[in-house]
């Protein structure tokens, strides 16, 4: 699973989430992640097996990639939950591959 954590844009990325005491806010499995990339919702440059972060600007771009007719797509649901949590906290996201 690819685990997501809140991380403010101006915070340094930790080597491991355990270093900060931050709590996981959700996960996406490999198949869903790859389908979201194929649908051009998640940019191609992100790799499921590598840690990465999304700042608030990129989160908004990803939200914009989710077209209105895709809101009911089963792959989009888990991602939208993550994006909504980040937006509610005014935060970016950090993803850790496990």
């Amino acid at each position: 699973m690819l685990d997501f954590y809140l991380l403010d844009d101006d915070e340094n990325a930790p080597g491991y989430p355990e270093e900060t005491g931050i709590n996981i806010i959700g996960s996406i499995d490999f198949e869903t992640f790859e389908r979201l990339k194929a649908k051009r919702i998640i940019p191609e440059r992100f790799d499921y097996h590598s840690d990465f972060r999304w700042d608030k600007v990129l989160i908004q771009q990803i939200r914009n990639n989710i077209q209105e007719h895709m809101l009911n797509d089963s792959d989009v649901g888990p991602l939208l939950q993550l994006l909504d949590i980040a937006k509610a906290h005014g935060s970016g996201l950090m993803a850790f591959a496990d």
Side-chain angles (χ1 to χ4, degrees):
M1 291 297 255
L2 187 62
D3 299 330
F4 286 83
Y5 301 79
L6 295 174
L7 185 68
D8 289 334
D9 289 352
D10 58 351
E11 284 186 66
N12 290 329
Y16 300 96
E18 297 82 17
E19 291 178 5
T20 64
I22 57 178
N23 294 319
I24 186 171
I25 62 163
S27 301
I28 295 180
D29 63 51
F30 177 76
E31 292 81 14
T32 301
F33 186 87
E34 290 301 312
R35 286 190 301 265
L36 289 167
K37 282 177 61 173
K39 294 173 186 177
R40 298 180 178 263
I41 293 171
I42 293 177
E44 187 65 32
R45 70 181 180 269
F46 293 104
D47 177 46
Y48 181 86
H49 301 289
S50 300
D51 300 342
F52 58 83
R53 71 186 298 168
W54 293 342
D55 63 14
K56 291 183 281 190
V57 171
L58 182 57
I59 288 171
Q60 186 58 49
Q61 290 172 351
I62 292 171
R63 289 184 70 83
N64 293 342
N65 287 344
I66 300 171
Q67 300 170 4
E68 191 171 311
H69 67 277
M70 295 189 79
L71 290 177
N72 294 326
D73 185 309
S74 62
D75 291 329
V76 171
L79 178 61
L80 272 177
Q81 287 180 332
L82 296 169
L83 300 178
D84 289 345
I85 292 169
K87 184 175 181 180
H89 285 87
S91 179
L93 292 170
M94 182 77 199
F96 287 96
D98 56 10

